[in-house]
Amino acid sequence: MLFSIFAARMRVISLTEETRLTGSYAATIGFFDGVHLGHRYVLQQLCRLARERGLPSMAITFDRHPRQVVDTSWHPLLLTTLDEKIELLRQTDIDLLVVLPFDEQMACLSARDFMRLVLKERLGVSMLLTGYDNRFGHRTADSHEGFDDYVKYGREIGIDVFCGEGLQALRQQDDRTTRQQDSKTIGRQDNKTIGRQDNKTIGRQDNKTIREQMYISSSLIRRLLGEGRVDEAALFLGRPYSLNGTVVHGFQKGRTMGFPTANMSADECRLVPADGVYAVKVSLPPSTFPGITNIGMRPTFDGHQRTIETHILDFEGDLYGRDISIGFVARLRDEQHFESPEELAQQMARDAETAKQVLLDADL
């Protein structure tokens, strides 16, 4: 067993050579990076179908991004580490989480062999709900296996395969308003409807012309974060995007200006939002504080290294070596070059006041 901490409901196991689960499970499979609202929507579909069939629910994920194995030159920028992903999945109604060690041997399995050798024979999967864009199994330039192939393989192997619906978002012209539009059907098998959902809303709905429609996905959220649009990313995640890390020694410039900062060392695989100044909430268990975070090169001091520096409002104390979590609520401005440290300090004072108001309005 790779993981030793279990929630009251969800169990977590890591697949080993000895793993042979007894019983029968309703399962879905995915990388679940960020465990965003689209993922949670599919997991809700799975739990409902599992209850209808009297089966326990199972989510299957990987210990690393599959692309890291098939393309060793690729370096991920992820929304969550594996441990963070597990903790977020504990907040769902899933009964069992299985973590697959993704290696070259698993990467070489065809979709049919993966379904037979892993899902059926080792994990006891009898019902599989795939995501609307989910693909698995070894792929070549000539292979185009998809949902219909999975249904065919499932019939041969003894797995009922359903296709879950993705969660759609409608973006408005003002680039700040988003709405969730659920599909009427939550899944299909052989063109049969297996359930219906009422339309729901994320955020507010204005009477403006819809500009773009898309499915909520990890790649969409990564793009938004890369553009600094952390408030929009939060709508799709269902929470502010956060970075967890350890406070390390910095350059001490903020302290000399009256704005001491906590310099974070984040996991190198984590995606860091675009350079700029952000209103954030800082988790220092058991308390949470408002703060402002600067991401960038520190141009006023001719910096040559990208840093993540957070000034925590209404806090005094030594944080070196402590683990903190920074939740990004809103982007305040671009990172700027100032003519003097005094001019920068004046701007930081204005940033602090703006951040307080933003966080108060956001009820954080």
Side-chain angles (χ1 to χ4, degrees), residues 294-304 335-338:
N294 183 88
I295 299 174
M297 304 297 291
R298 304 168 56 253
T300 302
F301 301 102
D302 297 322
H304 300 287
E335 186 182 39
Q336 298 171 243
H337 174 271
F338 293 91

Side-chain angles (χ1 to χ4, degrees), residues 192-204:
K192 295 180 181 178
T193 300
I194 61 173
R196 292 181 177 272
Q197 287 290 315
D198 294 330
N199 286 347
K200 302 174 183 178
T201 301
I202 297 177
R204 61 188 175 87

Side-chain angles (χ1 to χ4, degrees), residues 16-31:
T16 67
E17 291 295 330
E18 292 76 30
T19 302
R20 294 291 188 279
L21 299 185
T22 58
S24 184
Y25 290 86
T28 191
I29 184 168
F31 190 62

